[in-house]
Amino acid sequence: MIGVDKPTGNYLILQSACEKEKSIMVIQNTPEEGVKIGRGHECEIRITDISVSRKHALIRSVKNDFYIFDNKSKFGTLVR
């Protein structure tokens, strides 16, 4: 288990599902344009898996809630 101090304000915690390399990321104070997810170098969250598109998805904060928007990726975006 990975411990993280509770951030202030709105936040989202992402945890790796990979058993081999456990990692955690805390997202808070997102820019208005959102946080980009994908294999591409321009993404803030980079996932180096061939099933992930270069510009796979976007996480945005809308009225104190977080939403993930798929960017027409080949395999879609799953939330667990």
Side-chain angles (χ1 to χ4, degrees):
M1 180 166 213
I2 300 171
V4 175
D5 292 334
K6 183 176 179 179
T8 58
N10 292 336
Y11 63 94
L12 178 69
I13 297 177
L14 303 176
Q15 183 176 352
S16 153
C18 178
E19 288 295 322
K20 209 166 36 169
E21 295 180 34
K22 292 194 181 240
S23 63
I24 193 164
M25 177 179 284
V26 178
I27 299 176
Q28 66 183 67
N29 303 325
T30 58
E32 193 168 312
E33 64 272 8
V35 176
K36 296 180 284 289
I37 302 172
R39 284 186 295 125
H41 293 287
E42 68 278 1
C43 295
E44 288 86 13
I45 299 174
R46 293 198 56 216
I47 302 173
T48 57
D49 186 295
I50 195 67
S51 67
V52 176
S53 301
R54 285 181 186 88
K55 296 177 183 176
H56 196 94
L58 181 72
I59 295 177
R60 292 186 70 188
S61 176
V62 179
K63 296 184 180 179
N64 298 324
D65 288 322
F66 287 97
Y67 293 88
I68 188 164
F69 299 92
D70 185 71
N71 194 31
K72 300 178 186 173
S73 63
K74 184 175 182 179
F75 297 109
T77 300
L78 301 174
V79 177
R80 191 169 94 155

